[in-house]
Amino acid sequence: MNASAGRNELSTNREYYRDELNFAEFPLASVSTSLPKGQKTLEFTDEIFDKARNERVTRKLTITASDKYGLPTAMDDEVILGLIQLTGKAEFSERKVHFTRYELLKLLDWTDDTRNYNRLEQSLNRWLGVTLYYDKSWWSKEEQSWVNEGFHILDHVQILDRERQRRGAKKGENTGKSSFVWNEIVFNSFQSGYLKQIDFEFYKGLESAVSKRLYRFLDKRFYHRQRLEFDLRTFACEHIGLSKNYHNGELKRVLTPAIAELETQGFLKKLGTEERFVRRAKGEWNAVFVRERKDATRSIENDSELLKALTERGVSRGSARMLVANTDEVKIREKIALFDWLSDRKDVRVQRSPAGFLYRSITEDFGLPDDYRAATAQKPTKKVQKSVPLQSQTPDAKSIATTVSERAAIDQFWNSLGSDEQNRIERELVANAAPFLREQYIAGRKERGILFQTVRQAMIEKYVRHASSNSANTKTQPVRTGA
């Protein structure tokens, strides 16, 4: 597919990207990737003024799970949003929607492998077993009021294996496809137009489940005003889905990295901590959000080539979007060209963590090593010219050879320490780190993704370099400063 066709397809897709407004108001799932064993219920509650009743009402959503499949998690929330997009492609015309698992995987930007095929099937079965009880918390556009409703989101799911899909494909367009059927209450809400546009590509590019939940809820509320202020506990626990066992400090700690991601992506205006979290009284805090008026990120149509190039090389979509939004295009193209050249030669500099190397080469602006400059000056490789042409070079920057040499020495020094000593030092580094780095470390500690590894490695390297400078005359020289 050429770039023009890709842009046209993307523009068409964006026209039908939608979110159901009730689903954006309260969480449908835990923001955690796992839940305590045996937990089968989630509850979310708040209080609002109902104009139809001319009184304040307490709204409550109770979510119960089946014994076999359990409660939905963040992954399942994405699946439901994906099903809404599949239905939008058909203009919300039928409760029954035909699809293939491959089609849904591509829509969600999940890799096409057996594990994810099974994850999709499990998720759809889980939604079949989940019951939602809305107590004065389901908005009926027809009645113009908050009403009581209880239902399963999906009434029926049929997953066809690939053999049946191939046989059915010969009989008719939908005969061999899998299908799902929306509950009538949900589908009526679709048809009544209780929907909002959502930048689904932006949503998928966000790193954390908390960021995604923040985006959906705030994007709905920003429809009426550009500045929002909520009671911290109600906002974090009842609308984002954080644990009600957290104290206020923990709520702020968990929210901060997700808010920072939305700031970095240009969705939220950057605010200082005292502006973001405002104390009303002892033990009572408000959370303040202001929408950034400029476009959330640079147009994805213009950046689709760079995003695709980065994700094809293993960088997560969220990290790729942050790189594209905050880094000069020339620098990204330069580092991708270098990465391809090193990868073709199975260079040790990219073998241990290819995606991590590419990410750090951009964020830390690695220089171009002499062997690469010499080779590309004579005859640029075909892959570099085809994928991302080299736009510029930075011959005055420190060479990657030096960086790799330093890093090997750093690893040697760090690995020479006992595990207890490493853990002690790492705890001290985190405690004394800048607030943003500390939040990134804490938020990413469980999944240990690229951003977490980058922050952790940077703190360790700084420590080892400092230790090296203080022990320059000792027998151990952990870091060499020359090539």
Side-chain angles (χ1 to χ4, degrees):
M1 179 185 295
N2 60 42
S4 175
R7 284 193 295 270
N8 290 338
E9 181 181 354
L10 180 59
S11 299
T12 302
N13 288 346
R14 285 184 161 221
E15 292 176 2
Y16 70 75
Y17 285 158
R18 295 290 186 272
D19 196 0
E20 204 280 333
L21 288 165
N22 285 298
F23 293 166
E25 183 69 10
F26 287 104
L28 296 183
S30 166
V31 291
S32 301
T33 55
S34 60
L35 288 163
K37 187 176 181 179
Q39 183 177 350
K40 298 178 183 177
T41 303
L42 294 172
E43 288 187 351
F44 304 106
T45 305
D46 75 352
E47 186 179 280
I48 64 164
F49 183 80
D50 188 341
K51 294 181 180 179
R53 292 184 170 88
N54 195 31
E55 62 181 5
R56 296 194 67 80
V57 299
T58 297
R59 303 186 302 175
K60 183 177 181 180
L61 168 62
T62 303
I63 303 170
T64 63
S66 67
D67 290 334
K68 182 173 182 178
Y69 291 103
L71 286 166
T73 63
M75 176 202 74
D76 303 302
D77 207 14
E78 290 193 31
V79 171
I80 282 293
L81 195 52
L83 299 186
I84 294 175
Q85 311 322 313
L86 291 177
T87 312
K89 288 179 67 174
E91 299 181 351
F92 300 99
S93 58
E94 299 287 342
R95 284 176 61 196
K96 185 174 185 178
V97 179
H98 292 89
F99 73 104
T100 65
R101 283 179 291 174
Y102 174 77
E103 176 186 17
L104 184 52
L105 285 176
K106 298 299 288 183
L107 178 63
L108 295 173
D109 288 336
W110 293 6
T111 54
D112 179 17
D113 56 33
T114 301
R115 175 172 173 265
N116 281 333
Y117 276 85
N118 293 335
R119 287 174 70 192
L120 277 183
E121 185 167 354
Q122 279 192 336
S123 181
L124 293 170
N125 287 332
R126 183 172 293 118
W127 282 117
L128 274 177
V130 169
T131 307
L132 306 180
Y133 300 94
Y134 284 87
D135 183 359
K136 298 185 180 66
S137 55
W138 180 266
W139 180 259
S140 169
K141 192 170 183 181
E142 180 181 351
E143 298 180 44
Q144 289 295 297
S145 178
W146 297 103
V147 299
N148 300 334
E149 296 286 3
F151 53 84
H152 300 282
I153 291 181
L154 301 179
D155 281 353
H156 182 261
V157 170
Q158 183 182 39
I159 301 296
L160 302 188
D161 59 39
R162 295 187 177 187
E163 181 181 353
R164 292 175 68 189
Q165 287 181 18
R166 286 194 295 270
R167 290 201 306 266
K170 300 177 181 179
K171 300 178 182 179
E173 181 181 356
N174 292 325
T175 307
K177 289 186 176 182
S178 300
S179 64
F180 61 89
V181 179
W182 291 105
N183 178 272
E184 187 175 2
I185 300 296
V186 177
F187 189 70
N188 286 344
S189 185
F190 292 161
Q191 291 211 307
S192 72
Y194 198 53
L195 299 159
K196 61 175 285 295
Q197 287 189 330
I198 184 173
D199 189 337
F200 193 48
E201 298 299 328
F202 180 83
Y203 169 88
K204 290 185 293 183
L206 296 172
E207 286 284 336
S208 77
V210 178
S211 301
K212 291 177 177 180
R213 181 63 208 155
L214 275 169
Y215 171 66
R216 287 180 73 182
F217 177 71
L218 292 175
D219 194 50
K220 174 192 175 182
R221 293 298 189 94
F222 276 139
Y223 178 78
H224 298 289
R225 56 184 67 88
Q226 295 296 309
R227 184 184 185 279
L228 300 169
E229 188 164 350
F230 306 96
D231 173 79
L232 173 62
R233 294 202 65 81
T234 301
F235 171 78
C237 301
E238 311 300 342
H239 292 287
I240 305 304
L242 302 188
S243 172
K244 297 175 185 179
N245 294 325
Y246 285 167
H247 57 66
N248 290 335
E250 290 174 314
L251 293 176
K252 288 186 282 186
R253 176 183 61 79
V254 175
L255 287 173
T256 295
I259 293 171
E261 183 178 7
L262 292 175
E263 290 175 337
T264 300
Q265 295 282 28
F267 177 71
L268 291 177
K269 184 177 180 180
K270 292 185 178 181
L271 300 177
T273 302
E274 293 183 356
E275 296 177 280
R276 178 73 66 195
F277 301 112
V278 180
R279 182 180 177 182
R280 300 194 317 268
K282 185 177 181 180
E284 297 181 4
W285 293 80
N286 281 1
V288 177
F289 302 92
V290 180
R291 185 164 200 164
E292 185 60 81
R293 292 185 180 276
K294 64 182 180 181
D295 204 16
T297 57
R298 291 189 296 171
S299 170
I300 192 171
E301 288 86 349
N302 296 334
D303 291 328
S304 58
E305 177 195 353
L306 289 179
L307 286 170
K308 182 179 180 182
L310 289 167
T311 55
E312 284 179 345
R313 289 158 178 82
V315 179
S316 72
R317 190 173 184 84
S319 296
R321 288 190 67 113
M322 281 195 282
L323 290 174
V324 170
N326 297 287
T327 312
D328 183 72
E329 178 182 343
V330 171
K331 182 188 293 186
I332 296 176
R333 291 181 180 277
E334 175 186 84
K335 298 307 188 289
I336 292 177
L338 170 62
F339 174 84
D340 288 346
W341 187 82
L342 293 171
S343 297
D344 284 345
R345 287 153 183 76
K346 295 181 171 54
D347 194 290
V348 296
R349 287 170 280 194
V350 298
Q351 289 301 299
R352 186 169 67 174
S353 175
F357 176 90
L358 176 56
Y359 181 88
R360 295 191 65 176
S361 73
I362 297 171
T363 58
E364 299 179 22
D365 197 14
F366 286 179
L368 303 179
D370 291 339
D371 53 349
Y372 172 73
R373 292 204 302 269
T376 55
Q378 295 174 8
K379 185 178 180 181
T381 63
K382 182 182 293 185
K383 187 171 184 179
V384 169
Q385 288 295 325
K386 181 178 179 181
S387 300
V388 278
L390 185 63
Q391 299 294 324
S392 70
Q393 298 179 348
T394 55
D396 295 330
K398 182 169 65 175
S399 73
I400 288 182
T402 299
T403 303
V404 172
S405 175
E406 286 185 351
R407 198 155 290 138
I410 287 170
D411 289 344
Q412 182 180 3
F413 175 81
W414 182 252
N415 292 333
S416 70
L417 303 175
S419 59
D420 290 343
E421 181 68 1
Q422 288 179 346
N423 292 335
R424 181 190 66 77
I425 293 171
E426 191 165 338
R427 285 195 298 270
E428 291 182 1
L429 292 175
V430 174
N432 296 320
F436 177 75
L437 291 178
R438 183 165 58 250
E439 296 294 348
Q440 290 291 334
Y441 178 98
I442 293 172
R445 183 162 45 195
K446 184 174 182 180
E447 295 183 358
R448 304 181 76 85
I450 290 177
L451 287 177
F452 169 83
Q453 296 290 351
T454 300
V455 169
R456 178 178 181 272
Q457 187 69 18
M459 290 192 295
I460 291 174
E461 287 181 8
K462 183 177 180 180
Y463 166 79
V464 175
R465 287 193 174 96
H466 180 71
S468 174
S469 66
N470 290 338
S471 59
N473 297 321
T474 64
K475 183 178 180 180
T476 302
Q477 294 291 329
V479 181
R480 297 192 302 273
T481 57

